[in-house]
């Protein structure tokens, strides 16, 4: 099996895309699915955001599968413009509608609040108002115009399975020596 890197250019207009529950359904790209949002940080909340990042990292040490329902590949959080703006980038295996609904359920059940509560205009009733949560995301979404995948279209589960298989083969070969 040969894995060839691929890229996909994404048109600016979303008019041609199928409509889902919360708006256009973006195509699966070689990087899978994902989105980037950029929003203003509530004044004085940059350190709270950083602290939230630390708390989430600590929570994952105790419960590594905490975010598993989101089928994430990567998350990247960035504060910029002198800590007045926040960028969230997520790459995941499900479409936008499923990801956002799963995020609301996950954070509601876990009792963990979202870092987005520190962003201007974020609906504080997001746990009971998924459409308002989604509207905030859509209103602050910055669409990609190119997405690239070194290992295109593979899900996070497929990658983890391949790595486990590799580890098993390595262990088997070491035992044969």
């Amino acid at each position: 099996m040969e894995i060839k890197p691929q890229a996909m250019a994404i048109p600016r207009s979303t008019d041609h895309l199928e409509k889902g529950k919360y708006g256009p359904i973006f195509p699966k790209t070689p990087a899978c699915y994902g989105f980037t949002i950029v929003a203003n940080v509530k004044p004085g909340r940059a350190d709270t955001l950083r602290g939230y990042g630390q708390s989430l990292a600590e929570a994952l040490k105790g419960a590594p599968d905490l975010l598993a329902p989101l089928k994430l590949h990567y998350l990247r959080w960035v504060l910029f413009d002198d800590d007045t703006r926040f960028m969230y980038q997520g790459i995941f295996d499900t479409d936008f509608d499923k990801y956002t609904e799963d995020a609301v359920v996950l954070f509601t059940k876990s009792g963990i609040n979202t870092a987005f509560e520190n962003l201007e205009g974020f609906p504080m009733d997001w746990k009971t108002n998924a459409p308002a949560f989604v509207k905030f995301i859509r209103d602050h979404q910055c669409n990609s115009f190119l997405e690239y995948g070194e290992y295109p279209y593979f899900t996070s589960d497929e990658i983890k399975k391949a790595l486990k298989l590799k580890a098993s083969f390595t262990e088997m070969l070491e035992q044969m020596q």
Side-chain angles (χ1 to χ4, degrees), residues 34-47:
F35 61 85
T36 300
I37 66 165
V38 175
N40 293 326
V41 176
K42 290 178 181 176
R45 294 284 187 92
D47 287 339

Side-chain angles (χ1 to χ4, degrees), residues 88-141:
Y88 171 99
Q89 291 180 309
I91 301 292
F92 41 87
D93 290 329
T94 63
D95 66 36
F96 177 89
D97 289 358
K98 179 155 178 44
Y99 178 85
T100 52
E101 287 178 344
D102 288 349
V104 171
V105 169
L106 171 80
F107 286 107
T108 300
K109 281 184 178 178
S110 71
I112 298 174
N113 290 335
T114 176
F116 297 168
E117 290 182 352
N118 297 291
L119 304 177
E120 290 181 357
F122 186 76
M124 296 310 287
D125 66 345
W126 65 275
K127 288 182 181 178
T128 57
N129 189 355
F133 177 89
V134 170
K135 182 178 181 340
F136 177 85
I137 300 299
R138 289 288 193 184
D139 287 351
H140 293 84
Q141 184 171 333

Side-chain angles (χ1 to χ4, degrees), residues 3-105:
I3 299 171
K4 293 183 179 185
Q6 294 181 35
M8 177 188 284
I10 301 168
R12 176 177 243 171
S13 172
T14 61
D15 294 342
H16 67 288
L17 298 176
E18 179 184 344
K19 301 299 181 225
K21 187 173 180 180
Y22 301 114
I25 298 174
F26 289 89
K28 184 174 185 179
T29 73
C32 291
Y33 295 98
F35 61 85
T36 300
I37 66 165
V38 175
N40 293 326
V41 176
K42 290 178 181 176
R45 294 284 187 92
D47 287 339
T48 303
L49 267 170
R50 283 193 169 85
Y52 181 84
Q54 186 62 40
S55 295
L56 187 56
E58 290 298 318
L60 287 165
K61 286 179 185 176
D65 293 333
L66 176 68
L67 299 178
L70 299 179
K71 300 295 183 187
L72 290 161
H73 286 254
Y74 301 101
L75 286 179
R76 174 169 279 163
W77 296 0
V78 179
L79 283 167
F80 63 103
D81 285 346
D82 201 25
D83 289 355
T84 62
R85 298 185 11 112
F86 175 79
M87 180 178 67
Y88 171 99
Q89 291 180 309
I91 301 292
F92 41 87
D93 290 329
T94 63
D95 66 36
F96 177 89
D97 289 358
K98 179 155 178 44
Y99 178 85
T100 52
E101 287 178 344
D102 288 349
V104 171
V105 169

